Amino acid sequence: MELSVLDLAVVGPGRTPEQSLRDVVEVARTAEQHGYHRFWVAEHHAAPATAGSSPAVLLAYIAAATTSLRVGSGGVMLPNHAPLVVAEQFAVLQALHNGRVDLGVGRSSGGNTASTALDRALRRSPRATADFPELIDELARWLHHSFAEDHEFAALPMSPRISAPPELFVLGASENGARIAAERGLPFVYGHHLGATKARPASVDRYRSAFQGETPYLIASVNVVCADTDELAEDEAMAVALSEVQRREGADVLETRLRHLAGQALDDAQVIRGGPETVMREIHALADRLGADEMMLVPFEHTGIGRSRTLRSVARARLAVG
C-alpha cells in the first residue's frame, strides 16, 4: 500500500504565511527522502490559518525542489476556475516536471464556511456545485483533446498541448463525489481527514459498486501525529487542538472548557496519534476498513518541523514492519 501526503500549508501561532509556505517545501523534501508516493497541496481562500490559496503556483516551487516525488493538488476547487485555465496550468507543470504531476479536483469554494460574499469574490456561479460534473467533463476533454467535432471548443488549441496529460482525481466525502468519480472511471480521494463518519462510509461502497472502467482506485486521507511514544504524540496533538480552539473561541476561554473542546476536536477530526507502531497499526486498520488502495497522510502539526517529524517516524515504522 502506497503512503502519500497532503499538506494544508497551516499558518500556526507565531508563524507568518511566508514561513508557512517555506515549511511546505521542506516537508515535501522530507516526503521525497523517505519514500512517500505523492505530495499534494490544497486550495483555501479567505482562510488566515492556511497559506495555500494557489495550488498550481505552490506546486511549481515544490516540483522544482524535488526530483522523483509525484506532486499534485488536493485539490483545485474546480468551480472557482475556468476548466481551460486549470488544464493549461497543469499541462505546463506536467511538461516541466517529467510527467509527475497529479490533478485532484473538488467542488467546494475552499472557504472554511459557506459564504455568499466569498462566492461573489471568486465569481462562483450560483449553480457551482450542481455544475461540477459538467466542469469535470470539460476539464477532461481539454486535457485529452476529446471535444466532439461540432463542439464550439473543438477548434481551440489548448496551450501547451502535451501528449501525456496529468492524471485526474475526484475529491470528496459524500456519495455524490463518489458517484461522479465512479461514472467517469476516475480515482476517488475520500476526505476522511475532514472528520467523516467513523463507520465505513456509504461513499466508499458507492464508488466501488458504481465504478465504470477497468479498475477503481481509492485514496483515503487521514490526520496523523506520530512521535517517539504514544504519550508524546498525544501531547503534540493536544497542543495543536488547544491552539485551534483558542483561535476560534478567543483568549478568555476557561482552561477546563478549552481542554474539553480540544479533546472533542481531536475526536471529531479522527486524528490517528501515537508512537510509530501505534500509528502504523491504525493506518493499516483504517485502510482495511475503507478498502483503500492508498493512504494519504495529513500531518496534524502547525510547523514544518513537526510535520516532517511525523513523516519520518511513520516511514521508519513502515520499514521496520517490512
Side-chain angles (χ1 to χ4, degrees):
M1 181 182 65
E2 298 283 7
L3 293 182
S4 295
V5 182
L6 171 63
D7 195 301
L8 302 180
V10 173
V11 182
R15 306 285 290 174
T16 67
E18 293 85 351
Q19 291 170 323
S20 300
L21 288 169
R22 288 192 288 270
D23 279 351
V24 176
V25 179
E26 290 306 313
V27 177
R29 290 192 177 110
T30 299
E32 181 170 63
Q33 291 164 4
H34 289 82
Y36 288 87
H37 184 47
R38 312 176 200 274
F39 188 92
W40 285 7
V41 295
E43 175 182 341
H44 291 108
H45 297 285
T50 59
S53 57
S54 180
V57 174
L58 184 52
L59 286 176
Y61 201 95
I62 292 169
T66 56
T67 57
S68 60
L69 184 68
R70 294 201 64 81
V71 298
S73 57
V76 167
M77 298 297 104
L78 191 53
N80 296 348
H81 312 278
L84 172 59
V85 173
V86 175
E88 290 187 333
Q89 287 174 342
F90 278 75
V92 169
L93 289 169
Q94 179 82 327
L96 287 172
H97 297 291
N98 304 315
R100 55 189 177 98
V101 174
D102 300 325
L103 175 49
V105 296
R107 61 179 177 174
S108 78
S109 67
N112 285 345
T113 58
S115 167
T116 302
L118 179 59
D119 285 347
R120 287 201 298 269
L122 292 168
R123 303 299 191 267
R124 280 173 64 93
S125 161
R127 285 184 43 82
T129 299
D131 290 343
F132 182 57
E134 289 74 23
L135 293 172
I136 288 182
D137 291 340
E138 182 182 329
L139 175 61
R141 292 184 182 112
W142 283 118
L143 291 171
H144 295 280
H145 328 303
S146 58
F147 287 106
E149 290 185 4
D150 60 349
H151 195 282
E152 63 174 324
F153 297 157
L156 293 177
M158 190 183 91
S159 177
R161 188 166 179 169
I162 58 177
S163 58
E167 186 173 5
L168 190 56
F169 298 75
V170 177
L171 281 59
S174 69
E175 288 190 65
N176 282 336
R179 175 183 52 77
I180 290 167
E183 290 175 350
R184 287 154 181 80
L186 295 173
F188 179 55
V189 185
Y190 173 63
H192 183 273
H193 78 283
L194 299 172
T197 176
K198 293 182 180 180
R200 182 181 172 92
S203 56
V204 169
D205 294 325
R206 169 62 66 88
Y207 174 64
R208 293 200 180 278
S209 65
F211 189 80
Q212 299 177 23
E214 293 184 6
T215 307
Y217 194 81
L218 176 68
I219 301 175
S221 58
V222 58
N223 295 304
V224 175
V225 174
C226 191
D228 290 342
T229 67
D230 289 356
E231 293 75 16
L232 285 173
E234 186 67 34
D235 289 344
E236 292 284 348
M238 180 57 73
V240 173
L242 283 169
S243 66
E244 288 296 323
V245 170
Q246 196 161 44
R247 174 160 33 193
R248 184 180 72 230
E249 299 288 328
D252 56 348
V253 181
L254 292 174
E255 179 69 17
T256 52
R257 175 168 169 75
L258 188 64
R259 296 195 70 84
H260 170 74
L261 291 174
Q264 189 176 57
L266 287 177
D267 187 54
D268 290 344
Q270 299 181 57
V271 180
I272 290 179
R273 53 200 187 270
E277 291 183 4
T278 299
V279 167
M280 279 306 301
R281 182 172 63 250
E282 293 195 22
I283 288 173
H284 279 286
L286 179 60
D288 288 344
R289 177 162 64 83
L290 298 177
D293 300 290
E294 180 178 334
M295 294 299 290
M296 182 164 279
L297 311 187
V298 186
F300 190 76
E301 283 111 341
H302 280 157
T303 67
I305 291 173
R307 299 199 294 277
S308 291
R309 184 208 64 240
T310 279
L311 296 184
R312 285 193 298 268
S313 297
V314 172
R316 283 197 297 267
R318 189 183 192 192
L319 286 174
V321 300

